[in-house]
Amino acid sequence: MTNIPFNKPSVVGNEFAYMNEAVRNGHASGDGPFTRKVHQFLENALGIQKALLTTSCTHALEMSALLLDIQPGDEVIVPSFTFVSTINAFVLRGAKPVFADIKPSTLNLDERLLDGLIGPRTKAIVVVHYAGVGCELSEILDIASKHHVPVIEDNAHGLFGRYRGRFLGTFGAMATQSFHETKNFISGEGGALLINDPRYTERAEIIREKGTNRSRFFRGQVDKYTWVDIGSSYLPSDILAAFLYAQLEHREEIQGKRKRIWEYYQDSLGGWAPAHDVGLPVIPLWCEQAYHMYYLLLPSLDRRQALIRFLKERGIMAVFHYLPLHLSGMGQTFGGKQGDCPVTEDVSDRLLRLPFYNDITEEEQERVVRGIEDFFG
Ligand SMILES: Cc1ncc(COP(=O)(O)O)c(C=O)c1O
């Protein structure tokens, strides 16, 4: 029997033909024709002001920290239950993380805690739409605007998900996307910064292009380009943009497949899970999820670890994440300690992600489900 990996990147259309074309175009570096196509696609599909492709979501987050002019000692509120880049991008500028706990339902930042975490030094609230299910954006944006604090959406999981009918990534001052190989749409490594507040657009182009006004030069708005600000090289090769564009062209097909995969797990496990004290994803009625992942919440850490081993013996790779950031080595240097974020600490021990990729077959999913049921006996 073949192994079932946790993730497998897939090719859906013209990826390699477009990569060839990108080279033949004579513009294989950044901001070539395919990058422009991806920018236009994202701007039109999401109805946003500006999309800028980046080399990763991590780099898009770093750009957002630079654009907010984060200074040493500034505080940034972030869920403890997230990937390290969500906050590391801000810590790189000298920020102090203020870790928020999550809700046991959606595993998103608990908006009821925000008021108590905002202080005079708070310079940003970074939210994560975990598993592509929207945070409570109405409440979060209300609280943030009351305190004049910008919201950044780390939407690494949530491209094309919606909250109350509106696309995730269109609510905050800025949002970041990931096209890493584990995401719904991929370019191996890759990301994007979405800009909803036009005050950031011009400087974003400069920061992304090594601190130069090269983008304005290419548009004929200045007659030479030069160093005007701090910056780095955050733009991906047009060859990677070409791969990504071919994926985005198949948006409906990819999202349709992922919806079917998600629903297969849900239909198979929905009736079984409560009787075995296993939690499943919660999707509020007002959220259209992005179908990024499917997870279980096992009754305990021991049971989760035993299930991982049991499935592995059957060639099935199921994985866990995230370790609470406030308890990490770095998190502790910022004062994080056991008990600060009890829901995060609990969920982090019990969560298990099931194999989930565009080309997983129903037979493979059936094997995963049977493996889980057999483990519980
Ligand atoms: C919530 C979240 N933010 C950011 C990232 C970083 O994305 P990238 O690998 O594109 O830098 C990830 C990676 O999986 C993530 O899960």
Side-chain angles (χ1 to χ4, degrees):
M1 229 184 296
T2 54
N3 285 353
I4 302 176
F6 168 66
N7 178 62
K8 192 156 69 178
S10 67
V11 172
V12 286
N14 286 329
E15 283 90 340
F16 296 119
Y18 288 173
M19 287 172 88
N20 246 311
E21 199 179 318
V23 178
R24 278 188 277 109
N25 279 338
H27 190 134
S29 61
D31 278 343
F34 282 103
T35 305
R36 284 197 291 278
K37 278 177 198 275
V38 173
H39 288 172
Q40 244 166 37
F41 183 96
L42 292 173
E43 286 161 12
N44 293 340
L46 302 173
I48 53 166
Q49 291 269 341
K50 188 80 182 167
L52 290 171
L53 271 186
T54 57
T55 30
S56 63
C57 183
T58 300
H59 278 167
L61 285 157
E62 286 181 22
M63 282 184 67
S64 72
L66 285 163
L67 286 162
L68 293 183
D69 211 13
I70 299 294
Q71 299 293 320
D74 288 347
E75 292 182 2
V76 174
I77 298 174
V78 65
S80 176
F81 190 67
T82 183
F83 191 70
V84 60
S85 299
T86 313
I87 188 59
N88 210 12
F90 295 84
V91 172
L92 264 174
R93 313 305 318 152
K96 175 179 185 289
V98 174
F99 294 109
D101 207 356
I102 51 170
K103 308 208 303 190
S105 52
T106 55
L107 315 187
N108 281 329
L109 182 142
D110 189 338
E111 67 282 356
R112 293 164 302 186
L113 302 172
L114 269 183
D115 254 329
L117 295 174
I118 294 177
R121 305 215 63 171
T122 308
K123 289 289 153 40
I125 299 167
V126 190
V127 298
V128 177
H129 304 304
Y130 182 70
V133 179
C135 295
E136 286 308 339
L137 286 156
S138 304
E139 286 83 349
I140 292 169
L141 290 172
D142 270 359
I143 300 167
S145 74
K146 194 173 77 189
H147 294 275
H148 309 289
V149 177
V151 172
I152 305 293
E153 298 173 74
D154 178 344
N155 196 30
H157 302 177
L159 185 59
F160 305 128
R162 293 175 192 251
Y163 173 80
R164 299 194 187 278
R166 198 167 129 192
F167 283 114
L168 301 178
T170 67
F171 291 84
M174 287 171 258
T176 63
Q177 301 296 151
S178 176
F179 302 114
H180 179 263
E181 69 163 338
T182 49
K183 303 302 186 295
N184 296 20
F185 300 88
I186 68 166
S187 56
E189 299 275 356
L193 181 69
L194 312 182
I195 303 175
N196 300 314
D197 182 337
R199 282 177 299 178
Y200 297 111
T201 307
E202 188 177 341
R203 192 160 178 245
E205 288 184 336
I206 290 168
I207 285 172
R208 180 169 165 273
E209 261 285 18
K210 297 100 178 161
T212 73
N213 55 357
R214 194 169 172 182
S215 300
R216 297 195 73 198
F217 171 72
F218 280 134
R219 285 198 296 265
Q221 292 164 329
V222 287
D223 54 16
K224 54 183 181 309
Y225 81 87
T226 182
W227 185 21
V228 292
D229 201 337
I230 56 169
S232 190
S233 188
Y234 289 125
L235 65 174
S237 156
D238 216 47
I239 303 174
L240 286 182
F243 191 99
L244 178 60
Y245 186 64
Q247 297 244 316
L248 290 170
E249 278 186 329
H250 288 264
R251 168 187 164 185
E252 299 298 339
E253 180 190 327
I254 290 178
Q255 288 303 81
K257 275 187 183 176
R258 297 187 75 95
K259 181 171 190 284
R260 280 198 297 281
I261 295 164
W262 196 94
E263 284 172 351
Y264 183 92
Y265 280 138
Q266 181 68 15
D267 293 345
S268 310
L269 296 165
W272 168 91
H276 295 82
D277 199 17
V278 171
L280 299 179
V282 173
I283 319 292
L285 283 177
W286 50 94
C287 291
E288 279 173 48
Q289 61 154 321
Y291 299 104
H292 174 52
M293 69 165 91
Y294 197 88
Y295 61 83
L296 309 179
L297 285 167
L298 278 301
S300 68
L301 173 64
D302 285 350
R303 293 292 276 163
R304 183 194 60 193
Q305 297 308 94
L307 177 56
I308 290 175
R309 287 193 296 274
F310 184 86
L311 291 175
K312 201 168 172 194
E313 276 163 22
R314 295 187 173 199
I316 299 166
M317 299 303 295
V319 302
F320 65 86
H321 74 174
Y322 299 108
L323 295 175
L325 285 179
H326 69 285
L327 297 180
S328 64
M330 272 296 276
Q332 289 184 36
T333 67
F334 292 106
K337 56 185 183 323
Q338 197 78 33
D340 284 352
C341 300
V343 183
T344 300
E345 290 164 27
D346 173 50
V347 161
S348 164
D349 278 350
R350 299 192 293 112
L351 186 134
L352 186 67
R353 296 174 67 184
L354 303 185
F356 201 123
Y357 45 90
N358 298 342
D359 293 336
I360 194 168
T361 62
E362 234 175 75
E363 292 72 48
E364 287 170 324
Q365 283 196 276
E366 198 186 317
R367 267 177 63 198
V368 176
V369 169
R370 206 174 331 114
I372 296 164
E373 289 172 350
D374 287 352
F375 172 76
F376 278 84

